[in-house]
Amino acid sequence: MIAVRRPLSFFSVDVSRTLDRCSITVRTKHISVCICTFKRPELLKRLLDSLDKQRTEGLFSYSVVVADNDPAESARQVVTAFTSTSQLAVTYCTEQQQNIALARNKALQHAEGDFIAFIDDDEYPGDDWLRDLFKTCDDYGVDGVLGPVEPYFEFDPPAWVKKGRFFDRPTHATGFKISWSEARTGNVLFKRDVLNVIDVPFRSEFNTAGEDVDFFRRTMEKGCTFVWCKEAVAYEVVPASRCNRRYLLKRALLRGSNFSKHPTHRIRNGVKSLIAVPCYALSLPILALFGQHLFLRYLIKLFDHASRLLAFVGLKVVTERQT
């Protein structure tokens, strides 16, 4: 592990006020923004540049942890170049074993302060992203806050991609209580104390996907509450290489293969998939008449449920996470 850092002179500074002859000490809260990265140096640079512009309004201080999951350490040069011109403190560390759960845990090992934020290396936030997450967490008195991730296309995508909205994600009103099944780490802030309610933050057996959903399931079962903040938007960069049927179907297979690892409602979910697979298969010829975007949407659902059933009997069709 190599730490590339700038002094955080304000991190441990106390602000003292005297009110009615009483001395009140207010300590600035600190947020560690964790990024797990794998062979995306250009996107990582864009993300770091965006994080450097965060507006805090004096409510908190923040720093960044970059956990490189590439054994060749492709992110090291990006971090070194960034810290040579920025005052933002960045800690660089590596996880040699390729496993997203282990990379997340490595980032947490080097995180400091009162709050943890996660954002993906192919995303970038608006300037008020951290502030909006922080204020929502404080206003609602909850353990954590999630925000929307909107697609940012580097090119004009095909018409079927626009119609199918394959990269759109559900969104909610600010303050909406999130269930574990729809929680993700692509855009989240939570109190560091949340880590104390579970034995290990991210479980390595999930390997390629699903480790974040499992994290939220276990923390929510321990009583933690997470809400939504629609203002705290992060943008996911969607390259041309993802706007094809092969990518979308492989993503569905990978997602489905990890679903059976969740112990909750295994039998019910298995029965649901047993019903869904023949229903979707029979409906596909009819759906094809209404456009390929609709056909592909339900083909993805079919692949998802079929992969779940295969995983129940120990078969995994896709074993590697796509970049």
Side-chain angles (χ1 to χ4, degrees), residues 7 85-86:
T85 59
S86 172

Side-chain angles (χ1 to χ4, degrees), residues 15-308:
V15 180
S16 299
R17 302 173 181 174
T18 302
L19 299 174
D20 297 330
R21 300 180 180 178
C22 294
S23 180
I24 300 176
T25 301
V26 179
R27 186 177 65 84
T28 303
K29 300 292 185 180
H30 186 77
I31 302 172
S32 281
V33 181
C34 295
I35 306 166
C36 297
T37 188
F38 180 73
K39 295 183 178 181
R40 289 172 173 167
E42 293 183 1
L43 293 177
L44 177 62
K45 181 181 183 304
R46 175 185 289 186
L47 172 54
L48 290 174
D49 288 341
S50 296
L51 291 175
D52 202 19
K53 302 173 184 176
Q54 292 297 296
R55 289 190 281 260
T56 68
E57 296 183 358
L59 298 173
F60 56 88
S61 58
Y62 70 100
S63 58
V64 175
V65 178
V66 175
D68 192 351
N69 205 197
D70 178 12
E73 301 184 359
S74 55
R76 178 190 294 273
Q77 186 175 355
V78 174
V79 174
T80 301
F82 175 79
T83 55
S84 67
T85 59
S86 172
Q87 293 299 311
L88 178 61
V90 182
T91 297
Y92 174 82
C93 57
T94 61
E95 173 52 59
Q96 296 293 313
Q97 183 176 344
Q98 194 173 333
N99 183 302
I100 184 60
L102 294 179
R104 294 197 192 284
N105 290 336
K106 180 69 71 171
L108 289 175
Q109 290 174 13
H110 296 88
E112 301 175 333
D114 312 277
F115 291 84
I116 306 293
F118 270 101
I119 186 169
D120 289 347
D121 63 347
D122 59 350
E123 298 173 358
Y124 65 94
D127 294 349
D128 296 323
W129 171 66
L130 267 183
R131 185 204 64 183
D132 290 337
L133 289 174
F134 180 85
K135 291 182 69 174
T136 300
C137 191
D138 185 58
D139 290 345
Y140 286 87
V142 291
D143 298 290
V145 180
L146 291 91
V149 177
E150 299 180 1
Y152 172 78
F153 294 98
E154 295 183 317
F155 68 109
D156 187 24
W160 62 268
V161 172
K162 295 178 180 179
K163 287 184 178 180
R165 306 182 69 176
F166 297 107
F167 296 94
D168 289 3
R169 307 186 191 187
T171 188
H172 308 281
T174 297
F176 178 85
K177 185 177 179 180
I178 299 297
S179 64
W180 66 264
S181 60
E182 58 181 334
R184 303 291 186 274
T185 48
N187 180 356
V188 64
L189 170 82
F190 57 86
K191 296 177 180 177
R192 189 185 186 91
D193 292 344
V194 168
L195 300 176
N196 297 330
V197 306
I198 51 179
D199 52 353
V200 58
F202 298 97
R203 299 196 296 173
S204 59
E205 53 262 42
F206 280 86
N207 191 17
T208 52
E211 80 294 334
D212 50 354
V213 178
D214 174 68
F215 167 81
F216 288 106
R217 178 186 61 79
R218 290 181 292 127
T219 55
M220 290 183 190
E221 287 177 351
K222 294 293 185 178
C224 295
T225 301
F226 296 82
V227 300
W228 193 256
C229 176
K230 69 175 183 179
E231 293 82 13
V233 180
Y235 300 92
E236 178 186 24
V237 179
V238 183
S241 59
R242 293 187 186 180
C243 290
N244 60 74
R245 299 162 187 81
R246 180 182 176 84
Y247 174 88
L248 295 171
L249 293 174
K250 286 186 67 176
R251 185 174 68 172
L253 291 173
L254 180 62
R255 181 173 58 245
S257 67
N258 284 287
F259 197 83
S260 64
K261 296 177 183 177
H262 298 289
T264 306
H265 307 309
R266 286 172 57 88
I267 301 300
R268 186 181 71 181
N269 290 327
V271 172
K272 181 180 178 181
S273 293
L274 280 172
I275 298 173
V277 167
C279 289
Y280 288 140
L282 291 172
S283 64
L284 286 177
I286 299 174
L287 292 170
L289 301 175
F290 296 91
Q292 62 172 310
H293 68 286
L294 193 60
F295 173 83
L296 185 57
R297 183 185 303 169
Y298 283 89
L299 182 61
I300 288 172
K301 293 178 182 290
L302 172 61
F303 272 47
D304 190 325
H305 283 284
S307 183
R308 295 183 189 188

